[in-house]
Amino acid sequence: MGRGIRLNRHGCGLPLTALDPPAHNRPMPAPLHLKLLGPFYVERLDQPVTAFESEKARGLLAYLALTAAYPAPRESLVAMFWPDLAPRPGRHNLSQALSSLRRTLAEDAANPFFLADRQTIQFNEAAGVAVDVLAFEALLEACRQCAHARPALCPACADRRREAVALYRGDFLAGLGVEGAGDFDDWVALRRERLHRLALGALEWLADYHEARGELGEAEGYARRQVGLEPWREEAHRGLMRLLAHGGQRSAALAQYEACRQILAAELGVLPAVETTRLHERILAAEQDRVRRLPPQPTPFVGRRAELAAAAGLLAAGDCRLLTVVGPGGAGKSRLAIALAEQLDLRFLDGVCFVPLAGLAQADELAPAMAAALGLTFGQGEPTAVVRSFLRQKELLLILDNAEHLPEAADWLGHLLGEAPELKLLVTSRERLNLRWEQVFTLGGLACPSPDPSADEPFSEAETLFQSAARRSETGFQLDADGRRAVAALCRLVDGLPLALELAGALVRQRSPAEIAASVARSAGTLSAPWRDVPARHRSVWATLDYSVSLLEEPARDHLIALGVFRGSFSAAMAREIAGPDPARLDELADKSLLRREGRGRYGLHELVRQYAAEQLAARPERAALAARHSAAYAAQVKRLAPELRGAGIAAALDALERDHVDIQVAWERALVERDKALVDGLWAGQFYYHSLRGLLHRGREAFTAAREAFADPARRLRFTNYLGHFQRRLHE
């Protein structure tokens, strides 16, 4: 049976599971269970109890169970159940009914179900009783008091409501008739109506909740229960029609309208409301004019299960009208959008449509492109007006692919969403649109394998995509253990970027996985393929980045290239001091998917972007000056931290060295190559304490071996020999 309620001494009901202690010391379950939602039903120690003397006995039991907060005066009970009797025979009948209940329920004299004296009768909470009505009410009250983050999508409240409606088997005390007890009948009627309304509200909420999450089967079940409880309730019929249509069951949706029409005519003698008829007409029209225009894809869609589920959940939510999938070039934004549209196709009454924007030169070409994708003709109308008129009454998912170069189009899209209440936009872009309608979904690389995957470790999404591309290039391609390690390194090197993996997989006819990985480690510019059926910007990683950088204005472009001087993540302060961009510029580059925010005011470059920027920087005259500022800035930072490394601030100083260690190491190596004594003097403390305190003894030995060999003067050689000796001794301990 469903979860019941144990009455406390204040008469309040709490779900049994909320009161239950851990299983190892959990008490015995309540010996008496009352099911009053639907036909009257009682269990005593899990066995049905049926031998009640009369309907009045059943009614008395139900009333006492639900008013156990206070003792019930005997006079009130007599007036409720035997209003036609004088007080004395009425009290006699009440005593007889109570005795009958005690016998029927096999009451334990030591712990009775009823506490009675000459004036009152009350349920005894210590005897234990579970009542479905109280459980139902308590669950819904908990929802009312819940501090929701998003009330319409609260999972905890969904669980409570599901549990509550599972308890609701039907109308309160359905079929129970107590003759001559008008006050009791009134009490039942009032409570029955209230519980009925609560059940309908919970079912409606659950249908909306599951529909918003894209769980149409669950939503349909709750909608059908609403119709079952109130067949004349048009809102429930409309909800069910909509769910059936969204689930692709359009014939069933039309049949539901006909059922609604017949019920309203028979029960109320009225026609369906305008809203119901309009929905019926829209479903009929969608049967004939539904749009489904998605481009076929030449390669299979790999991975992205988590991203698909998360994005589908956002897009299915009623409050999401514009979802922008943002990510770097080559992240697979278009493929994800198409896969989403295929998955959600039937949930949009008027269909889904893909609009490619990459070939557009300016924003005023957007409306003609949308019209062409939707199959509209202009006649005498202006394209923008034709598109707006068509979309105004459509429940449609419109995919606008590659919108980053048309920022001026954002305002028009905002107006369109305001005019077309059932329209949803799914936009792919390298930067957000910055509209209030917008929810942003950031797309990164595919899930990558561990650095040295074992033979029984499942292939990651990134490895699977590489193999899929490789087998298209060379049928029968297989990975041995060495090849898999090389592919794992490649996947991690490119951060699972799908375009890079597809390009790399296309090279297996000419090179082994190890050779491909080694080549990409030197420069991802080697990743290219002579594909004729993709835009030029997707035929190589460098072409993709060239396109992204071409969308930047010149100052931002120069700042991005200057950031190629960094090898690891960096703080906004270091970026400003060394390369020039201020925090606003860094945020601009991050918004365009060319930089990553890494928390605590820090940023980083995707490895492929870093390689690209570093190669571009190598050809520029300012490279030497930037490198010098980079080394000097990190040497100064280490010099500032050195006193803390010997004192109370050692933990924070080590964390700071950890964050910047990659660039400190670059500065150290540059100082040794250039034999720059001032830089080395500033950096040695960081190298010594970081490697020593972090236990990186082999690396510390290598660092000071190189330092000793770089300088000829005896004093420095002696100092570095001493530090080297420290690491050698530690290694032999």
Side-chain angles (χ1 to χ4, degrees):
M1 104 171 237
R3 183 167 73 173
I5 286 289
R6 188 171 295 136
L7 301 178
N8 63 23
R9 61 188 176 85
H10 303 294
C12 301
L14 292 174
L16 290 175
T17 53
L19 299 173
D20 283 349
H24 62 272
N25 60 357
R26 186 174 297 164
M28 294 294 289
L32 187 64
H33 289 256
L34 274 65
K35 293 184 179 182
L36 309 179
L37 293 171
F40 178 93
Y41 180 81
V42 177
E43 284 183 350
R44 174 77 163 91
L45 298 176
D46 296 328
Q47 296 299 314
V49 178
T50 58
F52 289 95
E53 182 181 76
S54 65
E55 294 288 85
K56 282 189 178 178
R58 292 184 174 89
L60 179 62
L61 175 59
Y63 182 81
L64 290 173
L66 293 179
T67 59
Y70 305 100
R74 286 182 181 254
E75 289 83 353
S76 297
L77 295 174
V78 169
M80 177 172 280
F81 288 95
W82 294 275
D84 296 334
L85 295 182
R88 186 180 184 86
R91 289 174 67 93
H92 174 75
N93 282 5
L94 174 61
S95 297
Q96 290 291 101
L98 181 61
S99 297
S100 171
L101 284 176
R102 292 184 190 276
R103 290 192 302 274
T104 302
L105 298 176
E107 185 179 61
D108 182 355
N111 191 21
F113 290 124
F114 305 98
L115 301 176
D117 57 29
R118 293 184 59 82
Q119 303 302 321
T120 63
I121 303 173
Q122 185 179 17
F123 244 76
N124 176 19
E125 64 165 347
V129 59
V131 186
D132 60 353
V133 171
L134 297 179
F136 176 85
E137 292 175 331
L139 287 162
L140 297 184
E141 177 63 18
C143 293
R144 193 182 68 82
Q145 296 185 13
C146 179
H148 319 272
R150 298 180 69 187
L153 292 172
C154 176
C157 286
D159 288 342
R160 295 186 190 105
R161 286 184 171 94
R162 274 192 288 267
E163 199 164 352
V165 300
L167 293 171
Y168 195 85
R169 298 176 297 122
D171 284 342
F172 174 59
L173 292 177
L176 183 70
V178 179
E179 187 176 352
D183 288 353
F184 175 74
D185 288 342
D186 291 344
W187 176 80
V188 169
L190 287 172
R191 192 139 195 168
R192 179 178 291 165
E193 178 63 19
R194 177 175 172 274
L195 293 169
H196 181 82
R197 292 290 130 210
L198 287 173
L200 277 174
L203 289 166
E204 184 176 11
W205 189 97
L206 284 166
D208 291 343
Y209 171 83
H210 286 290
E211 183 179 11
R213 288 166 57 91
E215 297 161 349
L216 299 188
E218 291 86 344
E220 181 187 333
Y222 291 117
R224 287 193 182 280
R225 283 199 64 186
Q226 290 178 66
V227 171
L229 286 180
E230 279 193 5
W232 54 88
R233 192 166 188 256
E234 281 194 72
E235 298 96 319
H237 283 281
R238 284 199 298 272
L240 184 52
M241 288 167 62
R242 188 180 63 251
L243 288 165
L244 290 167
H246 288 172
Q249 304 177 65
R250 288 179 176 78
S251 296
L254 297 172
Q256 189 64 41
Y257 170 79
E258 184 60 27
C260 172
R261 189 189 64 78
Q262 292 178 8
I263 289 168
L264 292 175
E267 297 283 339
L268 305 176
V270 298
L271 295 173
V274 172
E275 296 89 341
T276 310
T277 303
R278 189 174 295 151
L279 177 59
H280 174 251
E281 291 170 351
R282 286 181 57 199
I283 296 171
L284 272 174
E287 281 284 278
Q288 302 166 0
D289 304 324
R290 193 170 187 278
V291 175
R292 191 185 191 279
R293 293 186 174 88
L294 298 174
Q297 298 302 299
T299 59
F301 183 73
V302 174
R304 298 293 196 194
R305 288 187 180 180
E307 292 91 338
L308 270 175
L314 288 172
L315 200 57
D319 60 353
C320 179
R321 299 286 312 287
L322 165 60
L323 183 66
T324 305
V325 181
V326 173
K333 301 182 293 296
S334 302
R335 293 302 304 272
L336 180 77
I338 293 168
L340 267 173
E342 290 172 340
Q343 179 176 315
L344 299 176
D345 174 17
L346 296 177
R347 297 177 191 175
F348 290 87
L349 193 60
D350 296 300
V352 296
C353 184
F354 181 90
V355 185
L357 306 183
L360 306 189
Q362 50 195 20
D364 61 8
E365 298 176 16
L366 177 57
M370 292 168 67
L374 290 164
L376 303 179
T377 56
F378 303 136
Q380 300 301 313
E382 188 267 332
T384 300
V386 169
V387 169
R388 289 166 64 178
S389 175
F390 176 80
L391 293 176
R392 193 167 287 128
Q393 300 300 325
K394 295 296 183 183
E395 184 182 309
L396 189 80
L397 176 64
L398 203 58
I399 304 164
L400 304 178
D401 187 48
N402 289 308
E404 59 273 346
H405 64 300
L406 300 172
E408 303 86 358
D411 290 340
W412 186 74
L413 293 176
H415 291 307
L416 185 62
L417 287 168
E419 293 177 348
E422 301 295 332
L423 176 69
K424 293 200 178 193
L425 299 181
L426 175 58
V427 177
T428 71
S429 178
R430 302 186 191 195
E431 59 182 293
R432 63 189 304 160
L433 300 183
N434 290 316
L435 292 173
R436 287 185 300 166
W437 295 99
E438 183 176 40
Q439 291 193 41
V440 176
F441 187 85
T442 302
L443 189 66
L446 293 168
C448 291
S450 58
D452 187 14
S454 61
D456 58 350
E457 182 178 326
F459 284 108
S460 66
E461 290 181 348
E463 290 173 297
T464 302
L465 180 60
F466 174 88
Q467 290 186 91
S468 176
R471 286 168 184 159
R472 289 196 300 276
S473 180
E474 184 178 346
T475 305
F477 173 82
Q478 296 292 333
L479 281 175
D480 58 17
D482 290 339
R484 185 172 184 189
R485 281 191 289 273
V487 171
L490 172 67
C491 293
R492 296 171 67 82
L493 183 63
V494 302
D495 281 351
L497 190 73
L499 175 62
L501 293 167
E502 293 226 35
L503 290 166
L507 299 176
V508 297
R509 294 182 67 182
Q510 294 86 32
R511 307 180 212 169
S512 69
E515 290 171 332
I516 296 169
S519 175
V520 172
R522 291 191 297 272
S523 172
T526 60
L527 285 178
S528 64
W531 296 324
R532 297 178 179 177
D533 56 350
V534 298
R537 68 178 188 277
H538 282 167
R539 294 177 193 174
S540 76
V541 170
W542 264 205
T544 297
L545 290 171
D546 280 337
Y547 174 73
S548 293
V549 173
S550 74
L551 299 175
L552 299 174
E553 295 183 358
E554 189 169 343
R557 193 181 310 149
D558 291 340
H559 282 142
L560 177 67
I561 299 306
L563 291 172
V565 73
F566 291 100
R567 289 290 297 274
S569 70
F570 47 85
S571 66
M574 277 296 195
R576 181 70 178 268
E577 180 178 352
I578 296 168
D582 59 17
R585 177 74 75 205
L586 295 174
D587 286 333
E588 176 191 347
L589 293 172
D591 287 341
K592 294 180 184 296
S593 305
L594 290 168
L595 205 61
R596 292 188 297 211
R597 295 180 179 91
E598 300 198 354
R600 297 177 298 181
R602 295 184 69 83
Y603 299 83
L605 293 165
H606 186 290
E607 173 59 20
L608 301 185
V609 178
R610 189 201 65 75
Q611 285 188 16
Y612 175 88
E615 287 192 17
Q616 297 287 317
L617 181 60
R620 294 193 172 195
E622 63 266 29
R623 174 185 173 279
L626 278 169
R629 287 206 298 272
H630 176 276
S631 296
Y634 282 106
Q637 178 177 330
V638 171
K639 202 166 186 177
R640 286 194 301 270
L641 291 171
E644 300 296 326
L645 291 166
R646 307 183 188 95
I650 186 171
L654 268 177
D655 286 343
L657 288 179
E658 183 90 61
R659 288 192 293 271
D660 289 328
H661 176 66
V662 173
D663 282 285
I664 291 171
Q665 185 66 28
V666 169
W668 173 259
E669 291 169 359
R670 185 180 294 130
L672 295 183
V673 169
E674 297 175 359
R675 291 179 171 77
D676 188 319
K677 296 177 181 179
L679 282 178
V680 169
D681 289 347
L683 290 163
W684 73 262
Q687 293 293 89
F688 178 77
Y689 286 105
Y690 174 75
H691 289 106
S692 181
L693 295 173
R694 288 289 192 239
L696 303 171
L697 305 181
H698 287 285
R699 294 184 186 177
R701 182 173 65 181
E702 292 170 4
F704 285 99
T705 298
R708 185 180 65 178
E709 298 303 319
F711 292 94
D713 63 285
R716 279 188 174 77
R717 286 182 65 85
L718 178 59
R719 181 198 298 172
F720 294 142
T721 298
N722 289 336
Y723 296 145
L724 178 59
H726 164 82
F727 287 105
Q728 288 175 331
R729 286 192 299 274
R730 291 276 306 275
L731 283 167
H732 287 95
E733 286 177 356

